[in-house]
Amino acid sequence: MISSSEKGQVLVIHGANYGRRDKTTCSAGRPASQLQVVQCSSQTSTIIHGADYGRRDKTTCSDGRPASQLQVVQCSSQTSTSVVAKSCNGKNSCTISASNSVFGDPCVGTYKYLEVDYTCQFPSATCEGSEANLQCEKGQVLVIHGANYGRHDKTTCSAGRPASQLQVVQCSSQTSTSVVAKSCNGKNSCTISASNSVFGDPCVGTYKYLEVDYTCQCKYLKPGLSSSKPQGPVSCRFWTSPRVNTPSVSALNSNAHTAPK
């Protein structure tokens, strides 16, 4: 049950996850076999940062195409981002056709492709006394958007705890985000202890937990569009062309994809 904490206040849901992201949360009395899968989410959210249906270079999606279809490189559908964002934002996955029927034809006679810049956002909760293990896929790095060590409800990490340790729900360490960001930003993986020794004790006597809101982002940009040298964290990108056998783009699990040349 979710309820507002005080009269005159309303609930604002920023995110939720039904699944499992670690081996410690809600693990009391459970066999190890039920705790092994930690990449489980009913709603890992896709965040669309930008999209472009058109052509910006002569090499992407050029295989087998005549030169006449690749010459125009200042071609972009003005509705690209809004169309993709409307279809995909906040979803675990989405499919959208790279076609004129969806985006219009910004450059007649030019062979176009759809480029999508996106990330997948993951929530993570770790009970006090345990370690948060944040990890991205190979070639990706962690970007911490926010963190809180404390308690915001009476249910998270409550198994086996007396009611007296769960009453305070307005508890937050002010250093949470900066500490986690300093330890994890830009790394492929990191481990940080959910403990008073790391974050201080914002509410003595309350059993706390560490919540981390993060994304995994690509470490390198696609060669040809920009420098292939490390540029710091950037979003994953997907290129697709409107061929008959590959007519759509699917954004899944923050994986990076590149179209063939």
PDB file of all heavy atoms in Angstrom, residues 43 70 84 109 148 153 161 171 218 227 261:
ATOM      1  N   GLN A  43       9.928  -3.307 -15.681  1.00  0.00           N
ATOM      2  CA  GLN A  43       9.796  -2.032 -16.369  1.00  0.00           C
ATOM      3  C   GLN A  43      11.082  -1.228 -16.276  1.00  0.00           C
ATOM      4  O   GLN A  43      11.152  -0.177 -15.663  1.00  0.00           O
ATOM      5  CB  GLN A  43       8.635  -1.211 -15.777  1.00  0.00           C
ATOM      6  CG  GLN A  43       8.269   0.027 -16.583  1.00  0.00           C
ATOM      7  CD  GLN A  43       7.732  -0.290 -17.944  1.00  0.00           C
ATOM      8  OE1 GLN A  43       7.235  -1.364 -18.189  1.00  0.00           O
ATOM      9  NE2 GLN A  43       7.838   0.645 -18.860  1.00  0.00           N
ATOM     10  N   LEU A  70      23.135   8.717 -51.731  1.00  0.00           N
ATOM     11  CA  LEU A  70      23.937   8.988 -50.533  1.00  0.00           C
ATOM     12  C   LEU A  70      24.522  10.397 -50.508  1.00  0.00           C
ATOM     13  O   LEU A  70      25.241  10.757 -49.563  1.00  0.00           O
ATOM     14  CB  LEU A  70      25.090   7.976 -50.433  1.00  0.00           C
ATOM     15  CG  LEU A  70      24.709   6.496 -50.562  1.00  0.00           C
ATOM     16  CD1 LEU A  70      25.965   5.637 -50.597  1.00  0.00           C
ATOM     17  CD2 LEU A  70      23.794   6.064 -49.422  1.00  0.00           C
ATOM     18  N   VAL A  84       9.665   9.299 -31.811  1.00  0.00           N
ATOM     19  CA  VAL A  84      10.291   8.184 -31.097  1.00  0.00           C
ATOM     20  C   VAL A  84      10.037   8.296 -29.599  1.00  0.00           C
ATOM     21  O   VAL A  84       9.739   7.301 -28.929  1.00  0.00           O
ATOM     22  CB  VAL A  84      11.802   8.124 -31.390  1.00  0.00           C
ATOM     23  CG1 VAL A  84      12.463   7.012 -30.573  1.00  0.00           C
ATOM     24  CG2 VAL A  84      12.048   7.888 -32.882  1.00  0.00           C
ATOM     25  N   GLY A 109      14.428  10.708 -52.653  1.00  0.00           N
ATOM     26  CA  GLY A 109      15.483  10.134 -53.472  1.00  0.00           C
ATOM     27  C   GLY A 109      16.721   9.742 -52.709  1.00  0.00           C
ATOM     28  O   GLY A 109      17.601   9.056 -53.235  1.00  0.00           O
ATOM     29  N   ASN A 148      20.098   7.671  -2.452  1.00  0.00           N
ATOM     30  CA  ASN A 148      19.667   8.014  -1.107  1.00  0.00           C
ATOM     31  C   ASN A 148      19.969   6.880  -0.137  1.00  0.00           C
ATOM     32  O   ASN A 148      19.582   5.739  -0.371  1.00  0.00           O
ATOM     33  CB  ASN A 148      18.166   8.312  -1.058  1.00  0.00           C
ATOM     34  CG  ASN A 148      17.725   8.643   0.369  1.00  0.00           C
ATOM     35  OD1 ASN A 148      18.185   9.614   0.949  1.00  0.00           O
ATOM     36  ND2 ASN A 148      16.849   7.820   0.943  1.00  0.00           N
ATOM     37  N   ASP A 153      10.139   4.594   3.068  1.00  0.00           N
ATOM     38  CA  ASP A 153       8.886   3.869   3.262  1.00  0.00           C
ATOM     39  C   ASP A 153       9.094   2.810   4.336  1.00  0.00           C
ATOM     40  O   ASP A 153      10.215   2.592   4.816  1.00  0.00           O
ATOM     41  CB  ASP A 153       8.402   3.238   1.951  1.00  0.00           C
ATOM     42  CG  ASP A 153       9.398   2.241   1.369  1.00  0.00           C
ATOM     43  OD1 ASP A 153       9.686   1.219   2.039  1.00  0.00           O
ATOM     44  OD2 ASP A 153       9.899   2.472   0.247  1.00  0.00           O
ATOM     45  N   ARG A 161      12.584  -7.104  10.619  1.00  0.00           N
ATOM     46  CA  ARG A 161      12.919  -5.916  11.406  1.00  0.00           C
ATOM     47  C   ARG A 161      11.741  -5.504  12.290  1.00  0.00           C
ATOM     48  O   ARG A 161      10.579  -5.541  11.867  1.00  0.00           O
ATOM     49  CB  ARG A 161      13.275  -4.752  10.476  1.00  0.00           C
ATOM     50  CG  ARG A 161      14.554  -4.978   9.708  1.00  0.00           C
ATOM     51  CD  ARG A 161      15.757  -4.908  10.634  1.00  0.00           C
ATOM     52  NE  ARG A 161      16.940  -5.550  10.065  1.00  0.00           N
ATOM     53  CZ  ARG A 161      18.116  -5.606  10.677  1.00  0.00           C
ATOM     54  NH1 ARG A 161      18.278  -5.068  11.861  1.00  0.00           N
ATOM     55  NH2 ARG A 161      19.131  -6.221  10.105  1.00  0.00           N
ATOM     56  N   CYS A 171      13.939  10.078   6.020  1.00  0.00           N
ATOM     57  CA  CYS A 171      15.337   9.932   6.431  1.00  0.00           C
ATOM     58  C   CYS A 171      16.223   9.866   5.181  1.00  0.00           C
ATOM     59  O   CYS A 171      16.028   9.013   4.313  1.00  0.00           O
ATOM     60  CB  CYS A 171      15.487   8.660   7.256  1.00  0.00           C
ATOM     61  SG  CYS A 171      17.194   8.173   7.591  1.00  0.00           S
ATOM     62  N   CYS A 218      27.018   4.226 -23.290  1.00  0.00           N
ATOM     63  CA  CYS A 218      28.134   3.782 -24.114  1.00  0.00           C
ATOM     64  C   CYS A 218      29.380   4.623 -23.865  1.00  0.00           C
ATOM     65  O   CYS A 218      29.305   5.837 -23.699  1.00  0.00           O
ATOM     66  CB  CYS A 218      27.771   3.854 -25.593  1.00  0.00           C
ATOM     67  SG  CYS A 218      26.453   2.725 -26.044  1.00  0.00           S
ATOM     68  N   SER A 227      34.773  11.347 -33.067  1.00  0.00           N
ATOM     69  CA  SER A 227      36.031  10.685 -32.740  1.00  0.00           C
ATOM     70  C   SER A 227      35.778   9.353 -32.061  1.00  0.00           C
ATOM     71  O   SER A 227      34.867   9.212 -31.252  1.00  0.00           O
ATOM     72  CB  SER A 227      36.859  11.581 -31.805  1.00  0.00           C
ATOM     73  OG  SER A 227      37.990  10.886 -31.332  1.00  0.00           O
ATOM     74  N   LYS A 261      28.103  -0.855 -42.640  1.00  0.00           N
ATOM     75  CA  LYS A 261      28.492   0.092 -43.665  1.00  0.00           C
ATOM     76  C   LYS A 261      28.393  -0.576 -45.026  1.00  0.00           C
ATOM     77  O   LYS A 261      28.555  -1.757 -45.152  1.00  0.00           O
ATOM     78  CB  LYS A 261      29.926   0.589 -43.445  1.00  0.00           C
ATOM     79  CG  LYS A 261      30.052   1.460 -42.198  1.00  0.00           C
ATOM     80  CD  LYS A 261      31.448   2.028 -42.101  1.00  0.00           C
ATOM     81  CE  LYS A 261      31.584   2.939 -40.910  1.00  0.00           C
ATOM     82  NZ  LYS A 261      32.920   3.524 -40.802  1.00  0.00           N
TER      83      LYS A 261
END
